[in-house]
Amino acid sequence: MTLVIQDLSKEFPVPNQVPILALSTISLTVGEEEFVSILGPSGCGKTTLLRIIAGLDSATSGSITLDGETIDRRSSQMAMIFQEYSLYPWRTVIDNVTFGLEMQNTGKKPARDIAMKYLNLVGLAEFADRFPYELSGGMRQRVAVARAMAIEPKILLMDEPFGALDAQTRNMLQKELLEIWEKTKKTVLFVTHSVDEAVYLSDRIVVLTPRPGCIREIVENPLARPRDRTSPEFARIRRHVLDLINESSQPKEDLIVHPPSL
């Protein structure tokens, strides 16, 4: 499985003004079973890029292909997990997990069997008949992960899924996410503001410049898992990524792509 993003750009039209160029000429290849984080300053287009990959928004130019097939609309081969959980409060946990399967016309019993498989995977089988309001924030996010996994996507797209959680819960879910990833071998594209999170989770870290978002550098992370956040090697990679973000916040002619004139 290979995801190829080629020369992707995104403009947002503004009435009677020059369009806002959010992303400029993004090119990236993501291989099978890779865990890739996308990092950069606020407003650099991280979420926009993920939404385009997910088929929730369209690019102005460029292309996205998965195994050579053009991706220009929502695809069952990808599932997106948001920061705000997006669970249906009137549905039980298991009914939230089966929702995507129902949209695919999966029978009720097979859908529930699949849902229980993934609720077991995220450690929530005993909460199958609870409602979202009865769960903690971390548990709700695990339900969102189970729901995304249930449709058996090739790629998980995660948009700051742990951003609203306290530090202790966030660290715990990072560890659990890696355990799930190691068991399922899904490809993951993970948007985050946290350098520490990106270094802890990722095989590669894609650092974007301020808007318009371009790729500043792709940082390889050779550290073996499980990773020690206090190790000198971890600190070295973290410092390098921080330096890239800080440097890219300073205007440089070779990093700025100006919007085209009307």
Side-chain angles (χ1 to χ4, degrees), residues 15-250:
N16 303 316
Q17 296 182 40
V18 173
I20 295 174
L21 185 60
L23 296 167
S24 179
T25 58
I26 300 287
S27 293
L28 175 67
T29 298
V30 181
E32 190 168 6
E33 300 180 11
E34 265 202 292
F35 198 123
V36 176
S37 286
I38 302 171
L39 192 67
S42 294
C44 71
K46 299 184 295 295
T47 294
T48 297
L49 176 59
L50 211 64
R51 287 180 59 85
I52 293 171
I53 295 169
L56 300 174
D57 205 345
S58 59
T60 303
S61 60
S63 64
I64 301 174
T65 60
L66 181 61
D67 288 340
E69 179 183 343
T70 298
I71 300 294
D72 56 8
R73 60 181 63 86
R74 296 189 68 172
S75 168
S76 61
Q77 298 185 86
M78 301 188 197
M80 190 157 176
I81 300 171
F82 302 91
Q83 179 176 335
E84 63 274 13
Y85 320 130
S86 302
L87 301 180
Y88 297 113
W90 61 89
R91 296 178 71 120
T92 62
V93 165
I94 192 167
D95 288 338
N96 266 283
V97 177
T98 61
F99 179 77
L101 296 166
E102 293 168 15
M103 296 299 99
Q104 296 178 348
N105 297 316
T106 303
K108 184 174 181 179
K109 186 180 185 307
R112 291 180 71 85
D113 289 344
I114 293 168
M116 286 305 300
K117 169 186 172 182
Y118 286 103
L119 285 174
N120 272 299
L121 185 65
V122 301
L124 290 177
E126 64 185 293
F127 295 92
D129 295 322
R130 302 287 185 91
F131 287 90
Y133 74 86
E134 299 179 277
L135 308 180
S136 68
M139 293 167 76
R140 292 177 199 172
Q141 196 56 285
R142 284 193 238 166
V143 175
V145 170
R147 181 177 61 183
M149 299 287 288
I151 64 170
E152 295 287 354
K154 291 185 177 180
I155 300 176
L156 279 181
L157 306 172
M158 308 186 77
D159 186 13
E160 296 193 70
F162 309 142
L165 303 174
D166 63 86
Q168 184 177 356
T169 303
R170 185 171 186 158
N171 286 350
M172 178 185 69
L173 288 185
Q174 289 168 3
K175 181 175 180 292
E176 290 180 358
L177 174 61
L178 284 179
E179 290 172 354
I180 292 168
W181 172 72
E182 288 171 355
K183 289 176 182 176
T184 63
K185 298 301 183 183
K186 299 293 183 186
T187 299
V188 178
L189 275 174
F190 189 99
V191 162
T192 180
H193 274 101
S194 169
V195 174
D196 181 90
E197 184 169 65
V199 176
Y200 184 75
L201 293 173
S202 313
D203 297 314
R204 291 189 294 159
I205 302 166
V206 179
V207 182
L208 300 184
T209 68
R211 191 178 74 228
C214 309
I215 294 179
R216 175 77 164 92
E217 185 174 317
I218 299 176
V219 179
E220 301 281 346
N221 188 348
L223 298 181
R225 297 182 177 91
R227 291 171 178 163
D228 179 1
R229 299 177 197 264
T230 65
S231 72
E233 295 82 4
F234 191 101
R236 179 185 58 78
I237 296 173
R238 184 177 183 275
R239 170 50 56 192
H240 178 62
V241 174
L242 279 170
D243 287 345
L244 288 172
I245 294 172
N246 291 335
E247 288 172 10
S248 67
S249 297
Q250 303 299 318

